[in-house]
Amino acid sequence: MSRFKVYLILVSVVFIFFNCKKNENEDVNKETILKGKAEIYVDETIAPIVEDETMVFESQYDAKFTLISKSESEVLNSLFNKKAKIVVIARNLTKKELNIFEQRKIVPKITKFAIDGVAFVANKSSKDTLIALKDVIGFMKGERSSKIKGLVFDNPNSSTVSYMNNLADLSGLADKDVYTFKTNNEVLKFVSENDGMIGVVGVNWLSQPNPSMNSIINNINVLSVKGLNKEGYYSPSQNNFAEGTYPLLRDLYVVNCQGYDGLGMGFASFVAGDIGQRIVLKSGLLPYQIPTRKLNIIRGQSNNEKK
């Protein structure tokens, strides 16, 4: 092979390499904090509020989000496996989880934006709308009572299961009288049709139900809960969230691992900002920062001014 041919091949390889790098950089540069396309993996128990936030964001900016709703375990696995770069979850990352990113020399940008809760629901035919948290935890540990025939969760890998297992200090759910489905809507439907079953769902699915679920929602009671070593029963209301009296609260976070100034940063800033916090307030959840209210005071004319 002549030197000229070798030189030509080398030039071609270098050209292709730099052209590919240029295209990669152009793809990244197409996305800004307010423009472009991005995927958001979201804990399915809080999907309604994230849908609202992304819809308003897209209406104001040249951005398009693809929401991928999965169980908490699946969302986090996607994050750790580098499949997901932006996720919304119902808890902060643990120290062990943060160490995974530290070893990769990645610093996740974590933004708290709302307070949600875990709710207990029962069939409308049950006249008792009160439940003690110690009774639910006792049931999870094998204690049986006349008040609870069974517990119903959305998904064995969901954040509600993880939340309740942590409270009960359990590593998994019992095999007897504890049921799991795939979605919160399936839990609500099952409870509405079966007396004595207690459903465990994210409050967000009750505060923002799908219109197709209205007849089912109307056939269930949202129970007021007595906390551990606490007095009084409290419903999962926005006011009780604000006062901290409802015993099953959890914080919502945007975790951004994009590593550049992209839509992850823009979305996190938006949900934590004034408009995003007003969306949270309207949803029935509690904003992390309560939006300020502006009062326009119109002074009336005095009698002398009217003359």
Side-chain angles (χ1 to χ4, degrees), residues 41 70-84 87 89 91 93 97 100-101 104 157:
Y41 282 66
K70 293 181 175 292
S71 69
E72 179 188 77
S73 178
E74 291 172 309
V75 168
L76 290 173
N77 284 336
S78 296
L79 184 66
F80 301 144
N81 294 333
K82 302 180 183 180
K83 188 175 182 180
V87 305
I89 51 178
R91 66 169 176 83
L93 296 178
E97 290 166 344
I100 296 174
F101 293 104
R104 298 175 181 171
N157 297 311

Side-chain angles (χ1 to χ4, degrees), residues 177-189:
D177 301 324
V178 177
Y179 309 91
T180 58
F181 289 91
K182 290 184 178 180
T183 67
N184 284 262
N185 282 343
E186 287 178 306
V187 174
L188 297 173
K189 185 175 186 297

Side-chain angles (χ1 to χ4, degrees), residues 55 61 121 128 130 223:
M55 182 174 64
Y61 305 107
V121 296
D128 191 356
L130 306 177
L223 307 182

